[in-house]
Amino acid sequence: MLTLVEFCSSNMLKGTEEVYRTLEEDPGIDVLDYGCLGHCGLCSKAFFVLVEGKIVSATTPEKLLEKIYKRIDKLKIEQESWFEDLS
């Protein structure tokens, strides 16, 4: 199952384009970009993306990439736990 990471094009122009390219190379991640994600206040102040619909933000693109992978790891653990509960 691919993890969805969504980018705002305006935020990419501010410095998250390299993060986008890095994630695009990851076969486990589906990366999309939109003209606007509707979080203009946050977009003007920080680097951010949506990971499975949840905001992940940081003060630098490097920290953003790190936080994205931490969020993805957390989601995987939650999914594994959920599937174990079904067994």
Side-chain angles (χ1 to χ4, degrees):
M1 184 167 163
L2 297 177
T3 302
L4 178 61
V5 179
E6 300 168 277
F7 283 78
C8 173
S9 292
S10 296
N11 203 257
M12 284 175 56
L13 294 173
K14 294 176 184 176
T16 59
E17 189 172 342
E18 186 62 35
V19 176
Y20 181 94
R21 281 193 241 124
T22 299
L23 295 175
E24 201 171 35
E25 302 271 330
D26 190 317
I29 299 175
D30 188 14
V31 183
L32 298 174
D33 69 285
Y34 298 98
C36 181
L37 292 174
H39 298 283
C40 300
L42 177 61
C43 186
S44 69
K45 297 175 187 171
F47 301 102
F48 86 102
V49 298
L50 299 179
V51 176
E52 293 295 335
K54 303 285 185 184
I55 295 172
V56 175
S57 65
T59 56
T60 68
E62 296 79 15
K63 287 182 183 177
L64 179 64
L65 185 61
E66 182 181 320
K67 289 176 84 172
I68 290 168
Y69 276 114
K70 283 182 181 179
R71 177 69 183 144
I72 290 170
D73 289 344
K74 183 179 176 184
L75 286 171
K76 287 180 182 177
I77 291 168
E78 289 171 359
Q79 287 174 346
E80 289 171 4
S81 175
W82 186 79
F83 283 120
E84 285 177 7
D85 289 345
L86 291 177
S87 302

